[in-house]
């Protein structure tokens, strides 16, 4: 396995700070530490309903689905593409997050 720690990725990418691993078989894995979110007065909460997708929730709250990973990092979600109906998500104030990324 080879680790690439000096690769610069585009800004506002959840993997812009982390490591890229290339395995002997040719597989590539990206690893990063989740962002640390402190609660703010402007945070919101959302309860998951059937058919919800994390990208759509990000679009509804942030106007762009690319911020789905902020919701993922801010909640205890094992798989962001299999949301559990009835769970409540913290939707952090994106302006506060952008200032600290």
């Amino acid at each position: 396995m080879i680790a690439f720690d000096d690769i610069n990725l585009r800004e506002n990418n959840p993997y812009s700070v982390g490591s890229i691993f290339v395995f002997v078989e040719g597989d590539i894995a990206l690893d990063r530490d989740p962002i640390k979110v402190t609660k703010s007065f402007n945070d919101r909460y959302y309860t998951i309903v059937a058919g919800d997708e994390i990208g759509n929730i990000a679009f509804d709250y942030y106007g762009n689905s690319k911020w789905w990973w902020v919701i993922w990092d801010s909640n205890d979600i094992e798989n962001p593409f299999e949301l559990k109906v009835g769970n409540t998500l913290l939707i952090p104030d994106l302006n506060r997050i952008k200032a600290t990324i």
Side-chain angles (χ1 to χ4, degrees):
M1 175 176 63
I2 303 169
F4 297 93
D5 289 322
D6 296 334
I7 295 177
N8 294 321
L9 299 173
R10 72 178 189 264
E11 198 174 317
N12 295 329
N13 181 319
Y15 295 95
S16 62
V17 177
S19 300
I20 298 175
F21 299 98
V22 179
F23 297 90
V24 175
E25 303 83 19
D27 292 334
I28 297 175
L30 301 173
D31 187 30
R32 68 174 179 88
D33 292 331
I35 59 172
K36 296 184 180 26
V37 177
T38 55
K39 291 191 177 183
S40 133
F41 180 75
N42 292 323
D43 291 344
R44 298 182 184 166
Y45 292 89
Y46 177 77
T47 302
I48 300 167
V49 297
D52 275 343
E53 294 180 9
I54 198 163
N56 293 346
I57 296 169
F59 183 83
D60 290 345
Y61 282 90
Y62 300 141
N64 194 320
S65 61
K66 76 176 182 178
W67 296 106
W68 67 269
W69 60 273
V70 172
I71 297 170
W72 180 34
D73 278 359
S74 305
N75 293 275
D76 185 22
I77 302 172
E78 185 175 330
N79 183 344
F81 305 106
E82 293 179 8
L83 300 177
K84 295 182 180 165
V85 173
N87 284 1
T88 300
L89 299 175
L90 167 67
I91 311 294
D93 175 16
L94 191 58
N95 290 320
R96 185 178 182 101
I97 300 297
K98 284 182 184 178
T100 59
I101 291 179

